[in-house]
Amino acid sequence: MAHVNVFDTTLRDGEQSAGVNLNRLEKVEIAKQLERLGVDIMEAGFPASSQADFDAVKEIADTVRGCSVTGLARANKRDIDIAWEALKGGAEPRLHIFIATSPIHMTHKLKKSPDEVVEKAVEMVAYAKEKFPHVQFSAEDALRSDQEFLVHIIEKVIDAGASVINLPDTVGFTTPDEIGRLFRYVRENVPNIDQAILSTHNHDDLGMAVSNSLAAIENGAGQIEGTINGIGERAGNAALEEIAVALEIRKDRFEYETGLVLKEIKRTSDLVSRLTGMQVPGNKAVVGRNAFAHESGIHQDGMLKESTTYEIITPEMVGIDSNRMVLGKHSGRHAFKQKSEELGFFLNEERLKEAFDSFKALTGKKKEVTDDDLFAILTDTQTENQDQAKYELKAFQVQYGSINRPTATILLTRPDGEEVEKANTGEGSVEAIYNTLDDLIEADVHLQDYQLSSIGKGRDALAEVHVQLTVDGVKASGRGSAQDVLEASAHAFLNAVNRTLYRRTQEAYQKVQV
């Protein structure tokens, strides 16, 4: 079977989802999991966009050795130079350079003629090739571009050194038959196309990203681009887990395979969902919580007699293990460490102790600690900036009743170590807590979004809260979990504030260094 490369852009295009704001530790944790998943190419970010993105891309390139790490760059020397500084320590440095090729983009955005666009693309690909062993060229908005012009610019950039040609459906406009015809046309009309791999990158605005990706593969694409859970700009990208499982289940139709380790899919999906705050819908294909649930009596009867009557994908295929080892209050540190590694977390001794202490505290409140509970504990431990000066919740109390106005009293430690206490009210308990925290925090904070969910099932399940704030005009996201909904709400609020504080501290330090 023909091998199709998997180009994951969760950390670049996926992070462009509205409200998503990953810090460096979170990006590195996702990168390590993507490496375990077996992606061929990992787009770690856009190094020239900010110092924070540069730092994250550089650390990922220096850390990940099992795949090629790439970064995005516009067609200019500054972007390319910055990307090289971030990526040069990688196992297989690669650059992803793009320029728009559709008439609407060239006219209104670039304000360049087609000849000027070709000249710029060729010049910058050649410049990038002097540094990078692999250069990928993307014709932005390719599906709305003139096909003869595409053939012309593709031939020229391949001659200049591009080894991968990406034809993205940037606005999610195309259909499977249209994208199939385009890939056939390019393959048949670009004379030097045998010197490059064709890649497909599809957005999901019309709900056809996965179908379009499969159609492109059938018509000559040797690389698929997408994200975990399909996250990304607007309606998102093609979901890589859906494409990989479709190729596996429908081998009779698709004579192609990827190198993805399918058993790592669920774990990767859960990690991305938790760190981005973008919950996976229950009916989401492959990884949704209802993907393997059967409510209908007819379906249940068929499943009991023969599982394949209604189940074409087994839970085990994507990493959902029904034979899980359950930990409780009598479980020791060795069993905890083993379980942590099974869940994909390899913590140093200091962080392992911290996570184990959190686990033991939880066993005093819950009879059984589930994999979902452990995943939350381990994720928070692994992605926390331990050396950061921050706001820390010391104690809180909420008075509430159906005939009383909710009042929250909070004791907080500020970043300078000072303990402060205040009380305030609100129309509800969460609002009372947030009004009080707003009084205690030395910044202008506004809540933009609040989401509450449970981790696992049952009345003793952990509550998880995701918030989006603006802190002195800067957007920030935060998450918090606890058995108490109000405590989880407070932790999420402070987490968002602390992330902003940390980012400012890093930026100030970098300015001093410069």
Side-chain angles (χ1 to χ4, degrees), residues 7 41 120-121 128 157 205 231 241 303 348 361 373 468 470 487 489:
F7 179 111
I41 301 103
K120 174 62 72 172
V157 295
D205 297 72
I231 65 173
E241 68 277 1
M303 284 289 296
N348 60 34
D373 296 328
Q468 292 177 27
T470 58
E487 183 179 354
S489 299

Side-chain angles (χ1 to χ4, degrees), residues 185-333:
Y185 183 85
V186 168
R187 200 178 70 232
E188 293 168 359
N189 290 279
V190 176
N192 55 357
I193 196 63
D194 60 319
Q195 299 174 34
I197 296 172
L198 280 176
S199 182
T200 184
H201 177 120
N202 296 292
H203 282 262
D204 205 35
D205 297 72
L206 297 179
M208 290 186 279
V210 169
S211 296
N212 289 338
S213 298
L214 293 171
I217 291 170
E218 288 188 295
N219 288 278
Q223 176 174 293
I224 50 170
E225 304 189 11
T227 60
I228 301 302
N229 298 336
I231 65 173
E233 289 263 26
R234 304 182 314 277
N237 291 262
L240 287 176
E241 68 277 1
E242 295 180 20
I243 297 171
V245 171
L247 292 177
E248 174 66 21
I249 296 297
R250 294 304 309 273
K251 289 179 180 177
D252 60 318
R253 167 66 186 274
F254 304 109
E255 297 181 356
Y256 309 92
E257 63 182 0
T258 70
L260 293 188
V261 181
L262 299 186
K263 288 187 176 181
E264 293 289 336
I265 284 177
K266 187 62 167 65
R267 183 181 304 161
T268 312
S269 170
D270 288 346
L271 182 66
V272 170
S273 175
R274 176 164 176 75
L275 293 183
T276 61
M278 299 191 70
Q279 296 183 29
V280 176
N283 65 334
K284 166 77 167 63
V286 178
V287 292
R289 65 178 179 276
N290 294 338
F292 305 101
H294 300 272
E295 185 72 20
S296 163
I298 295 174
H299 287 213
Q300 291 173 350
D301 179 65
M303 284 289 296
L304 290 171
K305 292 174 179 175
E306 169 54 50
S307 63
T308 56
T309 54
Y310 288 103
E311 191 172 80
I312 62 170
I313 310 168
T314 64
E316 290 76 18
M317 176 185 289
V318 296
I320 301 174
D321 187 4
S322 58
N323 298 315
R324 297 180 175 183
M325 177 177 68
V326 177
L327 299 183
K329 64 181 181 180
H330 299 299
S331 300
R333 186 164 174 168

